[in-house]
Each structure stands twice: as C-alpha cells, then as structure tokens.
Amino acid sequence: MSDDFKLPEDKAERMERCSLFYTDIVPHNHALGLKLLDIGPAEAVVELPYADFLVGNPETGVIAGGAVTTLIDAACGSAVILRFGRFLPLVTLDLRIDYLRPARPGTSLTAVAECYRATRQVAFVRALVHQGDKSNPVASAQGTFMRLEE
C-alpha cells in the first residue's frame, strides 16, 4: 500500500488526518455531526452532539438508537485504523450493542472505543458511550471488523 495511506507519527497530524472521516470521507458521519475529540495508539473518542433531528421519540427527547449505533461504529472503525496505523478499507462483521440506560435529552453522547486485539485481517474492538460520566454509561459495545486488503 502507498505511503499516502499511512498515518503520521505526530499525534496532532494523526488527529487531523483521522478527522477527515468526520468531515469529508464519510458523509453520514458529517450529516450526524460526529466529531473526533481525541485519539491514542488504538483508541478513538468521538462525540455525537445533541440535535433535535436525531431524536427518536419526541415525547422523551432521547436520541434514536440508529444514531447511537453510527456513533459506536464510527468510533470503533477509527480505533481499528489507528491500531493499523494507516487508512484501509474495513467492514463491520459484528457489532453488539447493549443499551444500559436512556440517554439524557439535550446532552451530547461520547463514545470511547479501543481496538484491543488485531490479527492480520480481523480486529476486535470494545466501546462505551457516556454523557460525561464514564462510570454511568448509556451503552456498551463489542465489535469485530475485517480489513479488505492484504
């Protein structure tokens, strides 16, 4: 694979390159307003700001599950890319989400994803979604992603 797809070593530059998934590369992420907040060697922290158009039930004001699923999937995919250190095509093989409590209306959601194991073709990721208190998560997730190139 070309060096154009490798992520830079400098954290600020890596962050800038990875942020493209939320502004230019994946229109769905941009449409939902997802924002990359922080990164690590195999971790990504992504925010889903609260917006009325994301509400699933107007009576409760709770963000729809589909938007939360997209938040988790995007954060997990970013963690995998950071683990491999380069942009590469991925597919989500499995994403299990446990919704632990309803999200508070009017408050953004933050997903913290970690790619804790990777083989040549498959990566294993876990994530928590919270609203400012990691000890009181809204959802937890486990995912498996597959790279599509050698």
Side-chain angles (χ1 to χ4, degrees):
M1 179 173 267
S2 166
D3 283 346
D4 292 344
F5 294 99
K6 287 186 179 181
L7 292 174
E9 293 296 322
D10 179 71
K11 182 178 177 177
E13 291 177 38
R14 286 170 71 90
M15 179 90 167
E16 185 178 327
R17 293 283 303 276
C18 288
S19 291
L20 293 175
F21 281 104
Y22 301 93
T23 57
D24 299 345
I25 297 173
V26 183
H28 189 73
N29 291 347
H30 181 68
L32 292 179
L34 297 181
K35 296 176 188 171
L36 184 63
L37 299 181
D38 197 13
I39 60 170
E43 301 87 30
V45 180
V46 180
E47 179 185 53
L48 173 63
Y50 186 86
D52 289 338
F53 75 91
L54 298 174
V55 171
N57 180 347
E59 290 181 22
T60 64
V62 174
I63 292 177
V68 178
T69 298
T70 300
L71 167 65
I72 293 168
D73 191 52
C76 288
S78 293
V80 171
I81 286 168
L82 288 158
R83 170 78 180 232
F84 285 114
R86 61 189 175 145
F87 292 121
L88 55 128
L90 298 172
V91 293
T92 306
L93 294 178
D94 180 52
L95 187 60
R96 175 190 160 76
I97 301 171
D98 293 314
Y99 291 94
L100 306 172
R101 67 172 180 83
R104 288 187 313 276
T107 305
S108 64
L109 294 169
T110 302
V112 180
E114 172 197 18
C115 179
Y116 62 91
R117 171 112 167 88
T119 66
R120 228 180 57 158
Q121 289 190 308
V122 179
F124 302 89
V125 187
R126 57 183 156 232
L128 277 179
V129 176
H130 64 85
Q131 291 183 296
D133 180 2
K134 292 180 186 177
S135 68
N136 189 24
V138 171
S140 67
Q142 288 261 133
T144 309
F145 291 73
M146 186 172 81
R147 39 190 302 188
L148 295 179
E149 52 84 28
E150 289 296 316

